[in-house]
Amino acid sequence: MGKTYERIDGRLRKFIETQPMFFVATAPLSGDGTVNLSPKGLRGTLAVLDAHTVAYLDFAGSNAETIAHLRENGRVTLMWCAFDGPPTIVRVHGRGEPVFRDDSRWPGLLRHFDIDPTPHGLRAVIVVHAALIRDTCGYAVPLMSYDTDRDLHERRFAREDDASLSTYFAGKEHIASSIDGLPGLPLPLPPTPAR
């Protein structure tokens, strides 16, 4: 019914890389803090960097809970569900960190992704180092068909440049700090590095 893995490779890696969406869960250290659970999608925005590390692109949005929680304590769980094919759920529990535009690792990390992040208001690359890798049955997960990615995010943020994106973020209540008041996305955004 469930198995623990030492590495993200082979069948497990293929499963992770072919899912059209996944979920990210984080929480602050405070016992009465707000737990965050975010769905993530768009093909090409997740990459398995090696047998113990995955990363995904963190795009513009109306809050930055994941970034804030990772900056505070690093705890994160990623989950993939099979909505077609054999019923499978995979979880990667680990430590994560947001890598921002002014980090020397930024250009090297971007090479792992099969999408042009420019029109999406890329804020960070979230890097997750796996501590526990498990799969379980997905018998109760419904069968659903994947049609295509929505283009709304790209259409909305393609018109922004670094300055207007920073202004947009500054106007949102939970970007620079989380719902619980933790430091979130550092503002203003550093300029997008030349590719």
Side-chain angles (χ1 to χ4, degrees):
M1 291 292 284
K3 182 177 176 183
T4 299
Y5 296 85
E6 295 294 322
R7 308 168 56 82
I8 302 169
D9 57 9
R11 179 192 62 81
L12 190 65
R13 179 175 182 154
K14 183 176 181 181
F15 174 81
I16 287 172
E17 291 178 331
T18 57
Q19 299 313 302
M21 71 177 297
F22 62 100
F23 301 87
V24 179
T26 58
L29 290 176
S30 170
D32 61 353
T34 305
V35 175
N36 188 61
L37 177 62
S38 297
K40 302 294 179 184
L42 296 178
R43 296 275 189 182
T45 61
L46 177 115
V48 177
L49 304 185
D50 61 42
H52 298 98
T53 314
V54 297
Y56 70 88
L57 301 177
D58 180 75
F59 292 137
S62 58
N63 64 43
E65 297 303 298
T66 299
I67 287 174
H69 295 160
L70 294 180
R71 290 182 70 191
E72 184 202 36
N73 62 66
R75 297 177 307 163
V76 63
T77 298
L78 306 181
M79 183 181 77
W80 296 263
C81 298
F83 294 111
D84 63 3
T88 303
I89 299 170
V90 172
R91 290 178 181 87
V92 170
H93 307 267
R95 309 294 291 181
E97 64 173 316
V99 176
F100 300 114
R101 296 172 175 190
D102 55 355
D103 190 297
S104 62
R105 296 172 290 172
W106 181 269
L109 285 170
L110 287 187
R111 287 193 277 274
H112 291 278
F113 300 97
D114 189 25
I115 188 173
D116 178 7
T118 308
H120 292 280
L122 182 59
R123 307 186 298 190
V125 178
I126 305 298
V127 178
V128 176
H129 305 282
L132 177 64
I133 306 159
R134 289 191 47 81
D135 72 357
T136 55
C137 75
Y139 293 166
V141 175
L143 288 169
M144 296 188 288
S145 63
Y146 166 75
D147 295 326
T148 188
D149 286 334
R150 297 177 193 258
D151 66 353
L152 297 173
H153 195 274
E154 181 175 354
R155 288 189 356 226
R156 164 58 187 93
F157 289 100
R159 59 183 183 248
E160 305 287 354
D161 60 18
D162 289 345
S164 67
L165 200 56
S166 283
T167 300
Y168 169 82
F169 289 148
K172 294 291 183 183
E173 185 178 6
H174 298 299
I175 295 286
S177 64
S178 74
I179 293 170
D180 300 313
L182 297 173
L185 185 68
L187 295 175
L189 288 177
T192 301
R195 293 183 114 191

